[in-house]
Amino acid sequence: MARLHDIVIDCARPAATARFWAAALDGYAVAPYDDAELARLRAQGIDGPENDPTVLVEPEAGGPRLWCQLVPEPKRGKNRLHLDLASPAPQTEIDRLTALGATVLARHEDHWVLADPEGNEFCLFPTRS
């Protein structure tokens, strides 16, 4: 039986997108670059982490990893898959996420639809008791 390993986010700016999601999600951080990883990038002609075509966002304690992956084509249309987030204080969370670069796209009766800085949709639900 398969299990969820990674979630991949296609984007034009992987490093910036990774920083957004690392800041947006509790317990996630952009994976550090050690000397060996920097050397690997340089060997591929990549100047450094800001130009890395695949940037990893890791959870502190379990859960799926996020890979922000460079793609040449722009986003077109609605995502076929998106993340659902939950918060006990949704308006405070919306304020925090929009300060990070998210955009509120719609308000529904039980949730909000937002987009990350690349235009990838995600939803925010109030935490249910």
Side-chain angles (χ1 to χ4, degrees):
M1 177 74 65
R3 65 179 179 84
L4 183 60
H5 180 63
D6 292 328
I7 297 169
V8 179
I9 301 170
D10 291 345
C11 53
R13 299 178 354 204
T17 302
R19 285 191 300 270
F20 170 83
W21 284 105
L25 298 173
D26 186 29
Y28 277 77
V30 174
Y33 287 82
D34 60 16
D35 290 339
E37 182 62 12
L38 292 171
R40 186 188 71 77
L41 290 176
R42 282 191 299 274
Q44 294 179 12
I46 299 167
D47 294 336
E50 196 60 33
N51 297 315
D52 189 348
T54 56
V55 180
L56 177 61
V57 180
E58 296 179 305
E60 290 174 359
R65 304 178 309 174
L66 301 177
W67 279 100
C68 297
Q69 168 182 277
L70 177 66
V71 295
E73 68 278 354
K75 180 184 177 307
R76 290 188 169 82
K78 187 176 183 322
N79 293 13
R80 297 293 296 208
L81 177 74
H82 68 266
L83 302 179
D84 281 351
L85 310 182
S87 171
Q91 189 56 58
T92 300
E93 189 63 12
I94 287 170
D95 294 344
R96 189 181 76 80
L97 291 167
T98 56
L100 292 172
T103 304
V104 176
L105 301 177
R107 170 69 172 110
H108 298 281
E109 184 177 324
D110 64 342
H111 71 283
W112 291 259
V113 178
L114 296 95
D116 73 10
E118 291 269 342
N120 296 300
E121 294 95 357
F122 63 98
C123 294
L124 178 68
F125 288 84
T127 302
R128 292 179 168 73
S129 305

